[in-house]
Amino acid sequence: MEKTRPIVAVVDDDPRLLESLEELLESAGYAACCFRSAEHLLACGLSNLDLLITDIGMPGTNGFELRDIVNKARPELPVFLVTGRHEIADQGRAKGVDGFFRKPFDAPALLIAIGEALQKSRNGG
């Protein structure tokens, strides 16, 4: 059976952000899978995901490290980074990254970026 809705995983240690992003994604027609840590996501696996949104500043594996792990395992999987810490946002590792958002982010802009990334991913590039 072919899946009908793209699956977007969200990794953040803030339960309020997870809840609000889950509601936003579900209302936009995506299937949202939320995880409190990178370790929880990795334990569940990456194979069914169409896009990943991860916080940068988390205990344990941070968002940059998670992005690097995902890029090795599934280089075609779009990864969006989010942070509320502006000192991180200004670092070189964050500059020039597609799908980089500072908290609080603009929900419509995030949904547009997700749609574009999924379209680009489906078209192979």
Side-chain angles (χ1 to χ4, degrees):
M1 184 172 134
E2 191 175 332
K3 65 182 177 180
T4 56
R5 299 190 306 162
I7 300 172
V8 178
V10 181
V11 181
D12 200 302
D13 57 341
D14 179 350
R16 293 168 307 182
L17 183 86
L18 284 178
E19 187 178 316
S20 64
L21 267 177
E22 181 176 24
E23 288 175 16
L24 175 70
L25 292 166
E26 294 280 344
S27 72
Y30 300 109
C33 299
C34 297
F35 302 91
R36 300 276 306 262
S37 72
E39 290 77 14
H40 285 123
L41 167 71
L42 294 171
C44 289
L46 304 170
S47 62
N48 292 328
L49 303 181
D50 295 299
L51 187 134
L52 170 63
I53 300 171
T54 182
D55 186 25
I56 293 173
M58 297 182 294
T61 304
N62 71 37
F64 288 125
E65 294 164 339
L66 178 57
R67 179 193 58 189
D68 293 345
I69 292 167
V70 169
N71 282 342
K72 284 188 178 98
R74 296 237 356 246
E76 78 288 355
L77 183 68
V79 178
F80 286 12
L81 299 171
V82 296
T83 187
R85 296 172 52 200
H86 295 278
E87 69 275 11
I88 291 176
D90 295 330
Q91 285 181 6
R93 284 180 90 180
K95 290 187 186 293
V97 171
D98 285 338
F100 179 79
F101 292 88
R102 288 184 185 192
K103 297 176 190 173
F105 43 79
D106 180 308
L110 177 64
L111 291 175
I112 289 168
I114 290 170
E116 289 173 351
L118 291 172
Q119 188 65 37
K120 185 177 175 185
S121 177
R122 276 193 291 271
N123 293 336

